C-alpha cells in the first residue's frame, strides 16, 4: 500500500508543527496496535466477512439547522453541546465515538441477540471490553493492587456511555445494570430532537437520508486505529451534505461555514486529520493552488483560499489497518 501523497513524499516539506504531529501520530499507533489487533479479531465475529456496509443517518453528522452562535469561528469552534453527534462525541483520549459506531455496527448485523455484557465473566464469550481497543496497559493503582487493562477498558466504556447518553444516543438502565442494559437511540440524538422525546434506534429505511461506512472500516480494524478527528472527517465527507457540486462522483468540497455550523468541525481538527488519512490510503486530497506548507497561492494578497476537494477511498478499507499502519509508520 502506498498513498499518492504521504508524510515522507519529497514534494511535501514538513513544518516543525507537522513533524511533531507525525511523531505523535506514530506513537499513538504504536501504543494501540496490540489492543487493536485483539479487538479486530473479536469484532470480526460480529461484523463478519461479506457483511453489508453500515448505514448511518445523515443527522449523525449533519445539523439541518445551522448552529446560531455568533462566537463560532475557526478560532472558536462550536460548543460541544451544539454540535451534531459525530463531532459532539469527539475527544482527544476517550472512545465515545468509536464505541458508538461499533455498537451501531453490531446492532445492524444482528449478531449479538440479547445484547452483550460490558465485560464477559464467561470464558470464550465476548463482552464490549473485547470489541474496543485502548492504549491502556496493566499498572499498579495507588492502593498497590494491579489494575488490569481490561478493567481500565471497562471504566473507559462506562465513561463513554455517559457521554453518549448526554448526547441523547443511548438510554441507560437502572441500578447495578445501568450500563449493561443500555439501549441505542436514533443517531440524531438531542441535536436533532431538542425538547422532543428521543426515538428508539431502528435500522434506517430505504427512504431515509443516509450515508454508508464500508464493512471493512470495522472488519479490518480501522475503527480502532483511527483517531476521533480522522473518523469525524471521514464521516463528514461520506455524508457530503452541503458540498459544492463537483463533476466527479464522491468528491466533496465543503466550505468553512458548513463545516463549522452544520458539522461542528473546527479548522485545527480538520487540518490535523487530512495528512494521516491521505497517507493511510483512505482519503484523496486535491489541494488546489496550495503551497507545500498548506497555505494557498495568493494568501499574502488576501485572496480567498480555494476549497480542498476530498474523496473517501473505499478500497482502502479493504486493507488490514494494522498492516497499513505498520508500513506507513515503520512500527
Amino acid at each position: 500500500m502506498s498513498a499518492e501523497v504521504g508524510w515522507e513524499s519529497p514534494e511535501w516539506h514538513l513544518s516543525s508543527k507537522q513533524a511533531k504531529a507525525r511523531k505523535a501520530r506514530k506513537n499513538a499507533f504504536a501504543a494501540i496496535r496490540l489492543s487493536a489487533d485483539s479487538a479486530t479479531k473479536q469484532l470480526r465475529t460480529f461484523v463478519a466477512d461479506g457483511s453489508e456496509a453500515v448505514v448511518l443517518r445523515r443527522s449523525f453528522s449533519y445539523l439541518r439547522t445551522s448552529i446560531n452562535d455568533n462566537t463560532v469561528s475557526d478560532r472558536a469552534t462550536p460548543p460541544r453541546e451544539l454540535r451534531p453527534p459525530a463531532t459532539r462525541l469527539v475527544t482527544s483520549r476517550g472512545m465515545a465515538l468509536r464505541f458508538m459506531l461499533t455498537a451501531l455496527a453490531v446492532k445492524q448485523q444482528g449478531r449479538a441477540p440479547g445484547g452483550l455484557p460490558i465485560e464477559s465473566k464467561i470464558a470464550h464469550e465476548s463482552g464490549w471490553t473485547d470489541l474496543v481497543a485502548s492504549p491502556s496497559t496493566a499498572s499498579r493503582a495507588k492502593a498497590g493492587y494491579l489494575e488490569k487493562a481490561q478493567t481500565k477498558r471497562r471504566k473507559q466504556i462506562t465513561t463513554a456511555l455517559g457521554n453518549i447518553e448526554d448526547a441523547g444516543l443511548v438510554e441507560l438502565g437502572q441500578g447495578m445494570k445501568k450500563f449493561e442494559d443500555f439501549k441505542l437511540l436514533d443517531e440524531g440524538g438531542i441535536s436533532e430532537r431538542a425538547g422532543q422525546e428521543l426515538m428508539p434506534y431502528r435500522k434506517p429505511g430505504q427512504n431515509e437520508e443516509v450515508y454508508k461506512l464500508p464493512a471493512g472500516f470495522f472488519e479490518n480494524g480501522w475503527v480502532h486505529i483511527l483517531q476521533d478527528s480522522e473518523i469525524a472527517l471521514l464521516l463528514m465527507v461520506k455524508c457530503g451534505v452541503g458540498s459544492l457540486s463537483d463533476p466527479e462522483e464522491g468528491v466533496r468540497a465543503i466550505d468553512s461555514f458548513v463545516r463549522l455550523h452544520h458539522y461542528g468541525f473546527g479548522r485545527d481538527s480538520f487540518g490535523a486529520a487530512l495528512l494521516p488519512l491521505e497517507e493511510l490510503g483512505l482519503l484523496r486530497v486535491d489541494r488546489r493552488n496550495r503551497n507545500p506548507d498548506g497555505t494557498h497561492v495568493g494568501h499574502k494578497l488576501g485572496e480567498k483560499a480555494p476549497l480542498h476537494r476530498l474523496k473517501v477511498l473505499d478500497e482502502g478499507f479493504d486493507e488490514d489497518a494494522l498492516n497499513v499502519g505498520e508500513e506507513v509508520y515503520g512500527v
Side-chain angles (χ1 to χ4, degrees), residues 7 13-27 275:
W7 292 99
H13 305 286
L14 296 183
S15 65
S16 59
K17 182 178 179 180
Q18 289 172 322
K20 184 178 179 180
R22 184 185 191 277
K23 182 178 180 180
R25 189 64 186 86
K26 176 180 179 179
N27 291 340
L275 285 173

Side-chain angles (χ1 to χ4, degrees), residues 89-275:
L89 296 181
V90 168
T91 59
S92 59
R93 301 184 66 180
M95 62 169 61
L97 178 58
R98 291 183 286 119
F99 184 82
M100 181 65 190
L101 290 172
T102 300
L104 287 170
V106 170
K107 178 73 172 177
Q108 285 193 20
Q109 299 303 328
R111 294 177 180 270
L116 292 171
I118 299 298
E119 182 179 0
S120 177
K121 303 298 183 182
I122 302 173
H124 309 299
E125 290 191 9
S126 297
W128 288 110
T129 53
D130 301 302
L131 305 186
V132 295
S134 168
S136 297
T137 57
S139 63
R140 293 285 175 186
K142 289 183 179 180
Y145 67 89
L146 182 66
E147 188 173 25
K148 297 179 180 179
Q150 186 100 338
T151 303
K152 293 182 178 181
R153 282 203 299 277
R154 180 184 178 88
K155 292 180 180 178
Q156 290 168 336
I157 287 173
T158 56
T159 298
L161 280 168
N163 293 334
I164 295 170
E165 181 192 34
D166 289 343
L169 299 171
V170 297
E171 179 183 321
L172 299 182
Q174 300 294 323
M176 298 291 290
K177 292 276 190 177
K178 177 179 180 180
F179 296 106
E180 303 288 345
D181 293 336
F182 75 86
K183 294 180 175 61
L184 289 174
L185 301 176
D186 183 281
E187 303 101 304
I190 291 173
S191 300
E192 203 53 27
R193 301 184 62 82
Q196 303 178 48
E197 183 179 354
L198 299 175
M199 302 292 290
Y201 178 79
R202 58 176 178 78
K203 187 174 180 179
Q206 292 184 349
N207 296 323
E208 295 190 68
E209 295 180 333
V210 300
Y211 62 98
K212 298 180 179 180
L213 270 180
F217 177 82
F218 302 95
E219 181 188 344
N220 292 323
W222 294 102
V223 67
H224 304 306
I225 75 155
L226 293 178
Q227 297 189 329
D228 277 11
S229 61
E230 296 159 7
I231 294 174
L233 177 52
L234 289 173
L235 296 178
M236 181 178 74
V237 178
K238 273 291 187 182
C239 181
V241 184
S243 171
L244 302 181
S245 60
D246 201 283
E248 184 179 348
E249 183 179 357
V251 172
R252 313 296 190 198
I254 297 174
D255 66 29
S256 60
F257 180 88
V258 173
R259 171 171 51 77
L260 278 167
H261 291 263
H262 288 274
Y263 289 96
F265 202 19
R267 179 179 60 186
D268 288 346
S269 295
F270 175 80
L274 283 175
L275 285 173

Side-chain angles (χ1 to χ4, degrees), residues 279-313:
E279 188 174 36
L280 290 166
L282 302 176
L283 188 72
R284 195 185 77 198
V285 183
D286 178 0
R287 297 175 175 82
R288 300 194 172 185
N289 298 318
R290 297 274 174 167
N291 297 312
D293 64 358
T295 59
H296 68 94
V297 176
H299 75 285
K300 291 183 179 180
L301 300 177
E303 297 176 4
K304 187 175 181 179
L307 298 177
H308 290 85
R309 262 58 176 178
L310 308 174
K311 184 176 183 179
V312 176
L313 303 176

Side-chain angles (χ1 to χ4, degrees), residues 1 25 28-41 44 133 216-226 280 282 316-331:
M1 191 287 306
R25 189 64 186 86
F29 172 76
I32 206 167
R33 66 190 184 101
L34 292 179
S35 179
D37 183 40
S38 175
T40 298
K41 291 172 181 174
R44 280 176 182 159
F217 177 82
F218 302 95
E219 181 188 344
N220 292 323
W222 294 102
V223 67
H224 304 306
I225 75 155
L226 293 178
L280 290 166
L282 302 176
F317 297 106
D318 294 334
E319 303 290 335
D320 184 275
L322 289 172
N323 291 342
V324 175
E326 288 167 3
E327 179 182 339
V328 168
Y329 296 115
V331 175

